[in-house]
Amino acid sequence: MSNLEELALYLSSVVCDKKFIDGNDLKQNIIDYMPELNQFRFSIQSTILLKDQIDLPSNEDIKHSFKDFSNNKIISCVNYFFEAKYGQCHIYSCPYPIPTYENISNNFPGGLFRYVSDVSLFDEHPFEYEFFIQIAQSFPFLKNLTITNQKGQNNKEYTKSNNNNEDFLLIQYPRLKYLHFKQIHNDYIEQFLLDTKTCLPYDILLFTDFKSVQRVTHNFTRNATRINCSKMRYICFDRIFRFPKHFKNDFLDTEIHVF
Protein backbone atom coordinates (compact mmCIF):
# COMPACT_ATOMS: atom_id res chain seq x y z
CA MET A 1 0.00 0.00 0.00
CA SER A 2 2.87 2.43 0.71
CA ASN A 3 3.84 2.36 -3.00
CA LEU A 4 0.35 3.24 -4.19
CA GLU A 5 0.36 6.16 -6.64
CA GLU A 6 -3.37 6.61 -7.16
CA LEU A 7 -6.24 6.27 -4.71
CA ALA A 8 -10.00 6.75 -5.00
CA LEU A 9 -12.04 6.86 -1.78
CA TYR A 10 -15.80 7.28 -1.73
CA LEU A 11 -17.69 7.20 1.57
CA SER A 12 -21.33 8.11 2.15
CA SER A 13 -23.17 8.75 5.42
CA VAL A 14 -20.29 7.91 7.75
CA VAL A 15 -21.54 8.49 11.31
CA CYS A 16 -18.80 9.97 13.49
CA ASP A 17 -18.68 10.30 17.24
CA LYS A 18 -17.52 13.87 17.86
CA LYS A 19 -16.15 15.46 14.70
CA PHE A 20 -16.46 15.38 10.94
CA ILE A 21 -13.90 13.69 8.74
CA ASP A 22 -11.64 16.48 7.49
CA GLY A 23 -8.27 17.10 5.86
CA ASN A 24 -6.37 16.36 9.06
CA ASP A 25 -7.91 12.88 9.22
CA LEU A 26 -7.06 12.14 5.60
CA LYS A 27 -3.49 13.33 6.03
CA GLN A 28 -2.80 11.50 9.30
CA ASN A 29 -4.54 8.24 8.40
CA ILE A 30 -3.93 7.94 4.65
CA ILE A 31 -1.55 10.37 3.00
CA ASP A 32 1.25 10.11 5.59
CA TYR A 33 1.33 6.34 4.99
CA MET A 34 1.55 6.66 1.19
CA PRO A 35 4.63 8.68 0.21
CA GLU A 36 4.26 7.74 -3.49
CA LEU A 37 0.65 8.90 -3.71
CA ASN A 38 0.29 11.55 -6.42
CA GLN A 39 -3.42 11.36 -7.22
CA PHE A 40 -6.10 11.18 -4.53
CA ARG A 41 -9.74 11.37 -5.61
CA PHE A 42 -12.37 11.32 -2.90
CA SER A 43 -15.91 12.14 -1.92
CA ILE A 44 -16.74 11.72 1.77
CA GLN A 45 -19.93 12.57 3.63
CA SER A 46 -19.68 12.36 7.41
CA THR A 47 -22.39 12.94 10.00
CA ILE A 48 -22.39 13.87 13.69
CA LEU A 49 -25.36 13.81 16.04
CA LEU A 50 -26.18 17.11 17.71
CA LYS A 51 -26.13 16.77 21.49
CA ASP A 52 -25.92 20.33 22.80
CA GLN A 53 -22.36 20.81 21.56
CA ILE A 54 -21.07 24.34 22.00
CA ASP A 55 -18.20 24.59 19.53
CA LEU A 56 -19.41 23.16 16.23
CA PRO A 57 -16.94 23.23 13.32
CA SER A 58 -17.71 25.70 10.55
CA ASN A 59 -17.14 25.28 6.85
CA GLU A 60 -14.10 27.55 7.19
CA ASP A 61 -12.68 25.18 9.82
CA ILE A 62 -13.02 22.26 7.41
CA LYS A 63 -11.45 24.25 4.57
CA HIS A 64 -8.50 25.17 6.79
CA SER A 65 -7.83 21.50 7.52
CA PHE A 66 -6.80 21.07 3.86
CA LYS A 67 -4.19 23.85 3.93
CA ASP A 68 -1.29 21.39 3.52
CA PHE A 69 -2.81 19.50 0.59
CA SER A 70 -0.96 19.93 -2.68
CA ASN A 71 -4.26 19.55 -4.52
CA ASN A 72 -6.00 22.81 -3.71
CA LYS A 73 -9.16 21.95 -5.67
CA ILE A 74 -11.00 20.55 -2.67
CA ILE A 75 -14.54 21.60 -1.79
CA SER A 76 -16.22 21.35 1.59
CA CYS A 77 -19.82 21.96 2.59
CA VAL A 78 -21.07 21.87 6.19
CA ASN A 79 -24.74 21.79 7.17
CA TYR A 80 -26.47 21.62 10.54
CA PHE A 81 -30.03 20.33 10.64
CA PHE A 82 -31.22 21.25 14.11
CA GLU A 83 -34.72 19.83 13.73
CA ALA A 84 -33.35 16.45 12.69
CA LYS A 85 -30.53 16.90 15.24
CA TYR A 86 -27.55 16.09 13.08
CA GLY A 87 -24.78 17.82 11.20
CA GLN A 88 -23.32 16.80 7.88
CA CYS A 89 -20.04 17.56 6.15
CA HIS A 90 -19.29 16.76 2.52
CA ILE A 91 -15.70 17.01 1.29
CA TYR A 92 -14.62 16.14 -2.22
CA SER A 93 -11.84 16.57 -4.72
CA CYS A 94 -12.35 18.27 -8.07
CA PRO A 95 -13.33 17.32 -10.63
CA TYR A 96 -16.14 15.63 -8.73
CA PRO A 97 -15.34 11.92 -8.92
CA ILE A 98 -18.67 10.02 -8.71
CA PRO A 99 -22.06 10.08 -10.53
CA THR A 100 -24.10 10.68 -7.34
CA TYR A 101 -24.40 13.86 -5.27
CA GLU A 102 -26.52 13.34 -2.13
CA ASN A 103 -28.30 15.66 0.30
CA ILE A 104 -27.69 18.98 -1.41
CA SER A 105 -28.92 21.87 0.72
CA ASN A 106 -29.22 25.62 0.25
CA ASN A 107 -25.51 25.79 1.13
CA PHE A 108 -24.65 24.03 -2.12
CA PRO A 109 -21.32 25.53 -3.27
CA GLY A 110 -22.24 25.35 -6.95
CA GLY A 111 -20.06 24.30 -9.85
CA LEU A 112 -20.52 22.27 -13.01
CA PHE A 113 -20.97 18.50 -12.60
CA ARG A 114 -21.04 16.97 -16.06
CA TYR A 115 -20.77 13.37 -14.88
CA VAL A 116 -23.39 13.45 -12.11
CA SER A 117 -26.76 11.93 -13.03
CA ASP A 118 -28.23 11.12 -9.60
CA VAL A 119 -29.00 13.98 -7.17
CA SER A 120 -30.93 14.28 -3.92
CA LEU A 121 -31.95 17.54 -2.23
CA PHE A 122 -32.68 18.01 1.47
CA ASP A 123 -33.01 20.98 3.79
CA GLU A 124 -34.95 22.33 6.75
CA HIS A 125 -35.18 25.70 5.01
CA PRO A 126 -37.18 26.38 1.84
CA PHE A 127 -35.77 25.76 -1.62
CA GLU A 128 -36.56 28.91 -3.55
CA TYR A 129 -36.94 29.23 -7.31
CA GLU A 130 -33.34 30.44 -7.75
CA PHE A 131 -32.08 27.27 -6.10
CA PHE A 132 -33.71 25.08 -8.75
CA ILE A 133 -32.20 27.24 -11.48
CA GLN A 134 -28.78 26.56 -9.95
CA ILE A 135 -29.44 22.81 -9.74
CA ALA A 136 -30.48 22.64 -13.39
CA GLN A 137 -27.38 24.58 -14.46
CA SER A 138 -24.95 22.64 -12.27
CA PHE A 139 -26.21 19.19 -13.32
CA PRO A 140 -26.89 19.28 -17.08
CA PHE A 141 -27.03 15.46 -17.29
CA LEU A 142 -29.35 14.96 -14.33
CA LYS A 143 -31.50 11.82 -14.68
CA ASN A 144 -32.66 10.93 -11.18
CA LEU A 145 -33.81 13.67 -8.78
CA THR A 146 -35.09 13.15 -5.23
CA ILE A 147 -36.41 16.08 -3.18
CA THR A 148 -37.13 16.13 0.56
CA ASN A 149 -38.29 19.42 2.06
CA GLN A 150 -41.35 20.12 4.19
CA LYS A 151 -40.94 23.91 4.31
CA GLY A 152 -42.96 25.92 1.81
CA GLN A 153 -41.34 28.46 -0.47
CA ASN A 154 -41.23 32.08 0.66
CA ASN A 155 -40.90 33.55 -2.81
CA LYS A 156 -43.05 31.78 -5.38
CA GLU A 157 -43.13 34.77 -7.70
CA TYR A 158 -39.52 34.83 -8.90
CA THR A 159 -39.33 36.43 -12.35
CA LYS A 160 -36.77 37.48 -14.93
CA SER A 161 -36.58 40.90 -13.31
CA ASN A 162 -38.27 42.85 -10.57
CA ASN A 163 -41.14 43.54 -12.93
CA ASN A 164 -43.90 41.19 -11.79
CA ASN A 165 -45.53 41.34 -15.21
CA GLU A 166 -42.74 39.32 -16.80
CA ASP A 167 -42.78 35.56 -17.12
CA PHE A 168 -40.93 33.07 -14.98
CA LEU A 169 -37.52 31.93 -16.01
CA LEU A 170 -38.39 28.51 -17.39
CA ILE A 171 -36.19 25.84 -15.80
CA GLN A 172 -35.25 22.92 -18.03
CA TYR A 173 -34.21 19.39 -17.10
CA PRO A 174 -33.69 17.90 -20.57
CA ARG A 175 -32.48 14.44 -19.43
CA LEU A 176 -34.57 13.89 -16.32
CA LYS A 177 -36.08 10.38 -16.10
CA TYR A 178 -37.01 9.83 -12.44
CA LEU A 179 -38.57 12.38 -10.09
CA HIS A 180 -39.08 11.41 -6.44
CA PHE A 181 -40.81 13.56 -3.81
CA LYS A 182 -40.35 12.43 -0.20
CA GLN A 183 -41.81 14.20 2.85
CA ILE A 184 -42.53 17.13 0.61
CA HIS A 185 -44.35 20.44 0.70
CA ASN A 186 -46.80 20.92 -2.16
CA ASP A 187 -44.86 23.94 -3.42
CA TYR A 188 -42.15 21.68 -4.83
CA ILE A 189 -44.57 19.40 -6.63
CA GLU A 190 -46.16 22.52 -8.10
CA GLN A 191 -42.69 23.77 -9.06
CA PHE A 192 -42.27 20.78 -11.37
CA LEU A 193 -45.84 20.32 -12.57
CA LEU A 194 -46.48 23.90 -13.69
CA ASP A 195 -45.37 24.32 -17.30
CA THR A 196 -44.84 28.04 -16.65
CA LYS A 197 -42.01 27.19 -14.24
CA THR A 198 -40.45 23.95 -15.46
CA CYS A 199 -39.93 22.38 -18.87
CA LEU A 200 -39.73 18.60 -18.64
CA PRO A 201 -38.79 15.96 -21.21
CA TYR A 202 -41.15 13.23 -22.31
CA ASP A 203 -41.59 9.99 -20.34
CA ILE A 204 -40.61 10.79 -16.73
CA LEU A 205 -41.44 8.46 -13.86
CA LEU A 206 -43.05 10.42 -11.02
CA PHE A 207 -43.03 9.05 -7.47
CA THR A 208 -45.05 10.90 -4.82
CA ASP A 209 -48.15 10.48 -2.70
CA PHE A 210 -51.54 10.72 -4.35
CA LYS A 211 -53.08 13.36 -2.07
CA SER A 212 -50.31 15.86 -2.83
CA VAL A 213 -50.70 15.46 -6.59
CA GLN A 214 -54.45 15.74 -6.20
CA ARG A 215 -54.13 19.06 -4.34
CA VAL A 216 -51.58 20.58 -6.71
CA THR A 217 -53.60 19.65 -9.82
CA HIS A 218 -56.87 20.84 -8.22
CA ASN A 219 -58.25 17.33 -8.35
CA PHE A 220 -56.81 16.82 -11.85
CA THR A 221 -58.67 19.75 -13.40
CA ARG A 222 -55.89 22.38 -13.46
CA ASN A 223 -54.92 23.42 -16.98
CA ALA A 224 -51.50 24.75 -15.92
CA THR A 225 -50.35 21.27 -14.86
CA ARG A 226 -51.70 19.26 -17.79
CA ILE A 227 -48.72 19.61 -20.13
CA ASN A 228 -46.11 18.39 -17.66
CA CYS A 229 -48.40 15.70 -16.26
CA SER A 230 -48.94 14.41 -19.79
CA LYS A 231 -45.20 13.74 -20.00
CA MET A 232 -45.15 11.65 -16.82
CA ARG A 233 -45.81 8.09 -15.82
CA TYR A 234 -47.21 8.35 -12.31
CA ILE A 235 -46.27 5.54 -9.92
CA CYS A 236 -48.76 5.45 -7.06
CA PHE A 237 -48.23 3.39 -3.89
CA ASP A 238 -51.19 4.76 -1.92
CA ARG A 239 -54.27 2.74 -1.08
CA ILE A 240 -56.95 4.73 -2.90
CA PHE A 241 -60.42 3.23 -3.17
CA ARG A 242 -61.87 5.67 -5.69
CA PHE A 243 -59.88 7.76 -8.16
CA PRO A 244 -61.16 11.06 -9.58
CA LYS A 245 -62.70 10.96 -13.02
CA HIS A 246 -59.81 12.65 -14.87
CA PHE A 247 -56.97 11.10 -12.89
CA LYS A 248 -55.62 8.66 -15.48
CA ASN A 249 -56.27 11.02 -18.38
CA ASP A 250 -53.85 13.59 -16.99
CA PHE A 251 -50.78 11.36 -17.14
CA LEU A 252 -48.95 9.58 -19.91
CA ASP A 253 -49.50 6.42 -17.90
CA THR A 254 -50.30 5.40 -14.33
CA GLU A 255 -49.25 2.41 -12.28
CA ILE A 256 -50.98 1.56 -9.02
CA HIS A 257 -48.97 -0.54 -6.57
CA VAL A 258 -50.76 -1.50 -3.37
CA PHE A 259 -49.07 -3.84 -0.90
Side-chain angles (χ1 to χ4, degrees):
M1 290 289 288
S2 62
N3 295 323
L4 198 66
E5 296 182 2
E6 296 185 12
L7 176 64
L9 178 63
Y10 311 133
L11 300 174
S12 177
S13 302
V14 180
V15 180
C16 302
D17 184 25
K18 295 181 179 180
K19 61 185 290 293
F20 297 125
I21 297 173
D22 62 12
N24 295 325
D25 295 308
L26 298 184
K27 186 176 186 304
Q28 294 169 10
N29 297 308
I30 296 177
I31 294 176
D32 286 351
Y33 290 93
M34 298 180 178
E36 302 300 321
L37 189 65
N38 57 45
Q39 188 176 77
F40 183 22
R41 300 184 303 275
F42 61 89
S43 173
I44 301 171
Q45 282 192 337
S46 56
T47 299
I48 59 172
L49 300 181
L50 299 180
K51 302 176 181 178
D52 300 321
Q53 295 97 321
I54 297 176
D55 189 17
L56 293 170
S58 67
N59 196 49
E60 288 302 316
D61 294 329
I62 302 300
K63 285 182 179 179
H64 186 70
S65 71
F66 288 97
K67 65 182 186 303
D68 295 327
F69 276 57
S70 57
N71 178 4
N72 57 7
K73 292 185 178 180
I74 296 172
I75 304 297
S76 65
C77 183
V78 173
N79 289 286
Y80 291 104
F81 304 112
F82 292 99
E83 293 179 14
K85 297 183 178 180
Y86 74 91
Q88 180 177 276
C89 175
H90 189 188
I91 54 176
Y92 55 87
S93 57
C94 293
Y96 191 74
I98 57 176
T100 300
Y101 199 132
E102 298 178 338
N103 289 344
I104 296 176
S105 74
N106 282 292
N107 288 336
F108 175 55
L112 181 61
F113 301 81
R114 295 186 180 276
Y115 302 105
V116 174
S117 59
D118 190 344
V119 167
S120 65
L121 314 176
F122 171 76
D123 208 334
E124 294 177 343
H125 301 282
F127 292 138
E128 302 297 348
Y129 197 81
E130 300 92 330
F131 175 79
F132 288 103
I133 294 174
Q134 184 182 30
I135 294 299
Q137 293 173 344
S138 291
F139 302 97
F141 295 94
L142 178 62
K143 291 183 179 180
N144 188 356
L145 178 61
T146 301
I147 306 173
T148 305
N149 194 321
Q150 295 179 301
K151 301 297 172 61
Q153 293 176 316
N154 294 318
N155 180 17
K156 297 174 65 175
E157 303 301 326
Y158 181 76
T159 57
K160 293 179 181 177
S161 71
N162 292 327
N163 183 350
N164 290 330
N165 293 322
E166 293 193 25
D167 295 331
F168 278 96
L169 283 167
L170 193 63
I171 305 176
Q172 300 188 44
Y173 301 89
R175 293 172 174 81
L176 191 64
K177 292 295 293 182
Y178 305 94
L179 181 58
H180 305 249
F181 293 110
K182 297 182 178 180
Q183 299 177 13
I184 200 75
H185 192 281
N186 289 343
D187 285 352
Y188 305 108
I189 299 176
E190 184 177 72
Q191 172 80 48
F192 281 81
L193 293 192
L194 288 180
D195 61 11
T196 54
K197 291 186 176 183
T198 302
C199 179
L200 296 175
Y202 186 76
D203 200 10
I204 291 178
L205 267 65
L206 171 66
F207 301 84
T208 190
D209 72 278
F210 178 81
K211 293 294 184 182
S212 295
V213 176
Q214 187 176 33
R215 285 191 293 268
V216 169
T217 61
H218 300 171
N219 201 28
F220 307 99
T221 63
R222 189 176 182 181
N223 288 331
T225 61
R226 290 192 187 280
I227 290 178
N228 280 349
C229 283
S230 70
K231 300 176 181 179
M232 294 179 166
R233 300 180 187 273
Y234 176 46
I235 313 300
C236 179
F237 292 94
D238 297 318
R239 188 179 294 274
I240 306 297
F241 295 100
R242 176 179 292 182
F243 290 96
K245 180 179 179 181
H246 303 289
F247 165 56
K248 291 190 176 182
N249 294 332
D250 264 29
F251 293 96
L252 177 65
D253 193 11
T254 56
E255 295 182 21
I256 313 299
H257 299 268
V258 179
F259 300 97

